[in-house]
Amino acid sequence: MTLFETDAPGRPRGRAAGLAMLILALCFVTPAFAGGGDDHSHEPAPMAVTAQGTPRVAMQSDVYQVVGILKGERLTLYVDRSEDNEPVAGATVAVTVDGEALPVVSNADGTYVAASPRLAEPVSSDLVVSVAGPDGEDLLIGSLAGAGAAVRPSHGGEAHPHGTARLLAQVRERLAHSEPGRAWPLAIFAVGLGLGLALRSRRMRPAAVLGGAVLVVALTGAALAHGGEDHDHDVPVVTPGSNTPQRLPDGSVFVPKPSQRILEVRTTTARPSEVEGATRLIGKVIPDPNRGGLVQSIGGGRVIAPETGMPRLGQAVRKGEVLARVERPIIQADQAIVVEKVGEIEQQIGLAEAKLARARKLVASGAGTAISVSDLEIELEGMRRRRTAVSDIRTTPEVLTAPADGAIAATRVVAGQVVQPQDVLFQVVHPGSLWVEALSFEDAPSGTGSTALTADGMTLRLESKGVSRALQQQATVLQFAVVDPPQNLKVGQPVTVLAATGTSTAGIVLPRNAIVRGAGGEAMVWRHAAPERFEPRQVRVEPVDATRVVVRAGVKEGERVVVRGADLINQIR
């Protein structure tokens, strides 16, 4: 049995099938054109692009930024300078809503409040704000939507299939939302099948041609009705209306004005300038060699604490102050020699005392001279000093004193500890005189005005003291004196030295605090795109000194960049 097999002479079974295909084609016509209005929407439309939550208005000019937040009948205005986002306090602010002037109250925190029952109405109002402050006068205009003013757009002309047409409507929806490349083959297949079945009969030929044409128009119209730029169904981006900072889907950050006041967000306008270049070196803090030193034992021995006790860390000391004593060790053989030597000296002292006694008797009887008595007395005194010196070898400890005025920076000894010769027992450092030593693996920079940056962001001003003429670890050693070192700066602390090269460089100079790190570790800045919106920008920077960098790419002249609070904005999720 073939597709066109007949069940009776002259009555092909394909005639009935072709008629059915034509009827199906006509059924597609009505649903294909029964969609929405001009926008061809077929799903419930999203909310209008309005702020949800707290009604607000944001206005900006070259001089001022004004953000109004509505709560009931009270409109709180935050007035900031556009240049640096600094709050403007003590300005004269006038507010007009739909031509009606409202009284404005200035608060001590730099906010301005206008109240009116008209503001509580659920309608949009035209808002005009006049600001007269230290930076001049300005007029800003905006539109304030009242609470509940956001509504869903209407669905004019939307068709809802019912009853037996539901299946055809679903088929039409699938065809209408399909791509044109997929609708054309379906149209050709349907037309070909209908014509092939209907053209078997001469009577059905006109109806087949007409039905095929209608079917092609219906299918291609449904396939192409959604291809224009005015027929997209993407969900619009809704600007946040709450007072909670949040990151938006496009990567920007919404920071309401109250939060900006708390975080002390400040901005600056990017302008190119010319500065002296710098090179980055790795260094560490060292003591001034003329204002401190090390305390070591020459012979070693057992440590004895002084009368005032062992010195503690951070204790201030004076030059020559006793820090500790070291009792010299004497081995048994040496001790026997000392005892023997002391006994020999005592024996000589006894003989000398006997001679001196006889000499004095002779002088008293007139048989001797006073000169012989004086000689014996001198000889006896020298023997006694020799005995004391030899005896002190066993008992007199080595005295350790402070080499300079300063403070105890390090101590590695306790009372009773046995130390070896040349062990460093104490380190004395003058807190007001510290140096920085850095290594340069290239030519030594010749500029002036170098700076250093600690790991916790502390900035140090440096003054060059010298450059080595010999390489150390294949690098040139540079030494700098720290100008007015802070009290919490410690010896051995690692620092990053920004040594001036003596060559000038041009670019947009920003504070180092404006540079933050992105999720991938890239350098970024935050651009103040709107009064309550900040956009991230990837940048390429080079150091100028410990507090500034020059931006080589990523920021255009005239853009406002966050210079304070950028790290806090970067943490908002």
Side-chain angles (χ1 to χ4, degrees):
M1 179 180 295
T2 62
L3 180 63
F4 299 100
E5 181 180 358
T6 60
D7 55 355
R11 299 180 61 184
R13 194 177 297 177
R15 181 182 303 176
L19 181 61
M21 290 300 300
L22 293 178
I23 295 174
L24 180 63
L26 293 177
C27 292
F28 272 104
V29 176
T30 302
F33 292 96
D38 294 338
D39 60 349
H40 298 277
S41 56
H42 304 287
E43 297 293 338
M47 290 294 293
V49 187
T50 54
Q52 303 298 316
T54 304
R56 63 202 313 118
V57 60
M59 299 169 286
Q60 181 176 350
S61 67
D62 294 338
V63 183
Y64 298 110
Q65 293 179 357
V66 177
V67 174
I69 300 177
L70 180 62
K71 292 184 178 180
E73 299 180 356
R74 293 170 55 89
L75 178 64
T76 303
L77 298 176
Y78 295 83
V79 182
D80 297 335
R81 293 195 304 183
S82 296
E83 173 70 19
D84 54 7
N85 206 46
E86 182 78 20
V88 178
T92 302
V93 177
V95 178
T96 302
V97 177
D98 292 337
E100 177 185 352
L102 303 182
V104 179
V105 178
S106 177
N107 296 327
D109 58 354
T111 59
Y112 305 86
V113 178
S116 173
R118 186 183 186 87
L119 297 174
E121 299 177 0
V123 294
S124 298
S125 304
D126 294 332
L127 185 68
V128 178
V129 178
S130 174
V131 181
D135 297 324
E137 299 182 2
D138 204 351
L139 190 68
L140 300 97
I141 302 175
S143 179
L144 177 64
V151 295
R152 293 180 180 269
S154 61
H155 304 281
E158 182 177 357
H160 300 276
H162 300 283
T164 58
R166 181 172 303 175
L167 177 59
L168 294 178
Q170 292 179 357
V171 175
R172 190 268 303 168
E173 287 290 339
R174 297 294 299 271
L175 295 175
H177 288 83
S178 63
E179 298 179 2
R182 297 174 59 185
W184 275 105
L186 183 59
I188 294 173
F189 173 76
V191 172
L193 182 59
L195 292 178
L197 295 177
L199 289 178
R200 296 286 295 177
S201 174
R202 294 180 180 180
R203 298 179 180 179
M204 296 297 299
R205 289 176 183 175
V209 174
L210 179 61
V214 172
L215 180 60
V216 170
V217 172
L219 292 177
T220 56
L224 300 177
H226 292 74
E229 63 183 19
D230 296 330
H231 305 285
D232 57 85
H233 301 282
D234 296 335
V235 178
V237 177
V238 180
T239 302
S242 64
N243 288 327
T244 303
Q246 55 185 292
R247 191 175 291 262
L248 303 180
D250 61 351
S252 61
V253 174
F254 172 76
V255 184
K257 275 299 179 181
S259 299
Q260 294 183 33
R261 298 283 181 93
I262 295 175
L263 301 179
E264 293 187 352
V265 177
R266 297 294 180 266
T267 62
T268 188
T269 301
R271 297 186 179 90
S273 59
E274 188 171 344
V275 293
E276 185 178 6
T279 182
R280 188 188 303 268
L281 305 175
I282 303 300
K284 64 177 180 179
V285 180
I286 62 174
D288 186 346
N290 300 318
R291 301 292 299 275
L294 303 177
V295 180
Q296 298 174 285
S297 174
I298 298 177
R302 189 179 302 278
V303 177
I304 303 174
E307 291 77 6
T308 56
M310 298 294 293
R312 65 184 184 278
L313 287 173
Q315 177 181 335
V317 295
R318 306 289 297 179
K319 182 177 180 179
E321 182 178 345
V322 177
L323 303 181
R325 293 182 174 86
V326 178
E327 184 181 19
R328 298 184 181 93
I330 300 178
I331 61 177
Q332 188 173 2
D334 294 338
Q335 187 174 3
I337 295 174
V338 171
V339 172
E340 181 181 356
K341 190 64 176 179
V342 171
E344 181 181 350
I345 295 174
E346 289 180 348
Q347 183 179 1
Q348 293 175 358
I349 290 174
L351 294 175
E353 290 176 347
K355 291 180 181 180
L356 180 59
R358 289 195 297 269
R360 287 175 177 174
K361 291 180 180 180
L362 292 176
V363 171
S365 61
T369 62
I371 296 176
S372 60
V373 174
S374 178
D375 293 341
L376 290 173
E377 290 177 349
I378 294 173
E379 182 179 359
L380 180 59
E381 183 63 24
M383 291 180 181
R384 290 173 177 172
R385 286 198 299 268
R386 287 176 58 193
R387 182 182 62 182
T388 302
V390 174
S391 300
D392 289 344
I393 294 177
R394 298 181 300 173
T395 58
T396 303
E398 178 186 2
V399 180
L400 305 179
T401 60
D405 296 344
I408 302 296
T411 175
R412 303 177 181 87
V413 66
V414 295
Q417 180 179 345
V418 176
V419 297
Q420 300 297 324
Q422 300 181 358
D423 284 351
V424 178
L425 306 184
F426 303 99
Q427 183 178 16
V428 179
V429 174
H430 196 285
S433 183
L434 296 175
W435 286 15
V436 169
E437 184 177 85
L439 299 178
S440 175
F441 292 91
E442 300 177 354
D443 294 338
S446 58
T448 58
S450 301
T451 55
L453 188 67
T454 62
D456 55 356
M458 186 169 48
T459 303
L460 308 176
R461 292 192 299 119
L462 303 181
E463 179 183 346
S464 179
K465 285 298 182 180
V467 180
S468 67
R469 298 298 178 182
L471 295 180
Q472 177 179 335
Q473 299 178 357
Q474 302 301 318
T476 303
V477 181
L478 294 86
Q479 290 185 341
F480 306 87
V482 182
V483 180
D484 298 329
Q487 293 295 328
N488 57 347
L489 189 63
K490 301 175 179 60
V491 175
Q493 185 173 350
V495 296
T496 300
V497 177
L498 285 307
T501 59
T503 60
S504 61
T505 180
I508 297 176
V509 180
L510 295 177
R512 185 174 293 273
N513 294 334
I515 308 300
V516 295
R517 293 294 173 181
E522 68 278 7
M524 295 194 321
V525 298
W526 286 96
R527 186 177 75 91
H528 199 181
E532 295 184 310
R533 185 168 172 266
F534 299 85
E535 295 179 349
R537 288 286 185 88
Q538 293 187 12
V539 294
R540 186 176 75 252
V541 298
E542 294 179 2
V544 174
D545 50 35
T547 60
R548 299 178 299 169
V549 296
V550 57
V551 179
R552 293 299 189 186
V555 176
K556 299 179 181 179
E557 181 181 357
E559 291 183 336
R560 295 184 177 93
V561 180
V562 178
V563 295
R564 187 196 301 176
D567 54 339
L568 300 176
I569 296 177
N570 197 46
Q571 298 176 17
I572 296 176
R573 294 294 183 267

